[in-house]
Amino acid sequence: MFSLGCGPEYAFEQIREEWDKLDETQVGMSSADRLRAEYRTLFKYTVAFPEFHRFMRQGCTTNNPRLKWVAKTVVMPLIDRLLPQIAALQKKRLLPQMEPILFHYMMVSLTAMLSEFGPEMRVTSKLAADHPRVVASYWRAVEKLVFGEAPSDADIDALTTKRIA
């Protein structure tokens, strides 16, 4: 489970801070590249904190007041940020045509795959879900499949070499 000061709220806070930095530093970024960067950030944190995803999944199966709080105060503002971007890209036919919220949860599922199946993968294939080559290979495939192009080497390096404090 999370250590004190490193709960799911911490992970969401870190994700939001990175997304806010995109507002400041990536002014010329295309809307598709921005959305890719936002989901890449979510992926980075699910790999760094697999307990984060597991907490969210466990909380979904109970009437957990903490999950309700996180959903209301953290998840909904993040969803509210992403859905207009998704809808705009769908209008341009740059993303699959479906309800924007379905696309969002599809991407959440893709970002969480390594944390969800990491323990099973270690047993069945000896792959470590947090190994930099596994992380890089998986996320390159996700972006290629969903957005039609692989991320840059610099984007992959940011996923695999930077420690998250």
Side-chain angles (χ1 to χ4, degrees):
M1 205 50 149
F2 289 104
S3 62
L4 190 60
C6 196
E9 297 90 348
Y10 171 80
F12 275 122
E13 181 181 310
Q14 296 301 303
I15 293 165
R16 184 180 291 177
E17 283 180 18
E18 286 205 32
W19 283 355
D20 289 345
K21 286 178 190 173
L22 287 172
D23 286 340
E24 300 165 10
T25 62
Q26 303 297 325
V27 177
M29 183 181 271
S30 75
S31 54
D33 286 343
R34 181 186 177 89
L35 190 67
R36 290 171 64 187
E38 291 188 286
Y39 282 110
R40 192 179 306 123
T41 298
L42 182 58
F43 175 67
K44 178 170 78 173
Y45 281 90
T46 62
V47 169
F49 300 111
E51 309 85 17
F52 162 69
H53 172 70
R54 292 183 199 124
F55 165 81
M56 295 302 290
R57 295 302 318 139
Q58 180 182 11
C60 286
T61 61
T62 65
N63 197 13
N64 184 332
R66 188 173 182 196
L67 179 64
K68 288 179 182 178
W69 178 85
V70 170
K72 180 180 177 184
T73 60
V74 184
V75 176
M76 281 309 300
L78 298 179
I79 287 174
D80 290 344
R81 175 189 186 114
L82 294 171
L83 292 188
Q85 295 177 64
I86 293 166
L89 290 167
Q90 287 174 324
K91 279 186 179 179
K92 295 177 183 176
R93 302 279 189 219
L94 297 174
L95 293 177
Q97 301 299 300
M98 62 177 74
E99 289 294 324
I101 193 72
L102 292 177
F103 179 86
H104 167 70
Y105 280 109
M106 177 186 78
M107 289 302 298
V108 168
S109 296
L110 290 170
T111 64
M113 193 285 287
L114 291 179
S115 67
E116 179 75 18
F117 293 106
E120 182 179 322
M121 287 173 23
R122 185 177 292 276
V123 171
T124 61
S125 66
K126 308 289 188 257
L127 283 178
D130 60 349
H131 190 281
R133 282 194 307 261
V134 172
V135 171
S137 173
Y138 176 72
W139 196 250
R140 276 190 184 101
V142 167
E143 287 202 27
K144 179 76 173 152
L145 287 167
V146 175
F147 296 102
E149 62 182 292
S152 71
D153 289 341
D155 290 334
I156 290 296
D157 288 346
L159 287 175
T160 59
T161 59
K162 187 177 177 183
R163 299 293 294 159
I164 298 174

